[in-house]
């Protein structure tokens, strides 16, 4: 089942950007579109610490019943797998 989470934030330069995190078949993908860009930029391997931020974001959405427990568990598994690879 497909799961998508979309939010808006500002980058370090103050530019507005729209971010989307898309999960399908257990694979998470980050996509970002900065104001003025014509296309989305896709990140198969997001920047360091991103999954920890995403876990907090999904945890808050889960408390408001806007995300599923499966989404939270999937990100927790990604974090565990990432730290296992780095060790």
């Amino acid at each position: 089942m497909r799961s998508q989470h979309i939010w808006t934030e500002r980058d370090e330069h103050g530019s507005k950007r729209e971010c989307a995190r898309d999960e399908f078949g257990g694979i998470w993908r980050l996509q970002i579109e900065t104001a003025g860009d014509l296309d989305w930029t896709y990140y198969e391997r997001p920047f360091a610490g991103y999954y920890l931020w995403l876990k907090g974001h999904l945890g808050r959405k889960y408390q408001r019943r806007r995300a599923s427990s499966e989404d939270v568990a999937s990100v927790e598994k990604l974090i565990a797998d990432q730290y296992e690879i780095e060790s």
Side-chain angles (χ1 to χ4, degrees):
M1 184 174 192
R2 177 173 226 106
S3 174
Q4 188 175 39
H5 302 279
I6 301 171
W7 65 98
T8 303
E9 62 184 33
R10 295 204 178 267
D11 65 9
E12 59 275 1
H13 305 294
S15 299
K16 188 176 177 181
R17 64 183 177 185
E18 185 173 359
C19 305
R21 191 66 183 163
D22 188 37
E23 185 265 334
F24 185 72
I27 298 172
W28 286 87
R29 187 170 70 166
L30 172 67
Q31 50 197 36
I32 296 176
E33 179 183 44
T34 305
D37 287 351
L38 298 176
D39 296 318
W40 288 88
T41 303
Y42 294 92
Y43 297 93
E44 295 297 328
R45 297 200 143 255
F47 39 89
Y50 179 75
Y51 288 121
L52 294 174
W53 179 88
L54 181 62
K55 178 183 172 188
H57 178 74
L58 288 176
R60 289 186 298 277
K61 286 184 82 170
Y62 174 72
Q63 290 175 342
R64 296 186 317 263
R65 296 185 176 156
R66 300 194 66 160
S68 69
S69 60
E70 290 84 12
D71 289 344
V72 177
S74 177
V75 171
E76 288 174 346
K77 182 179 181 326
L78 285 172
I79 292 168
D81 292 347
Q82 184 177 6
Y83 284 114
E84 186 176 291
I85 291 170
E86 291 176 359
S87 299

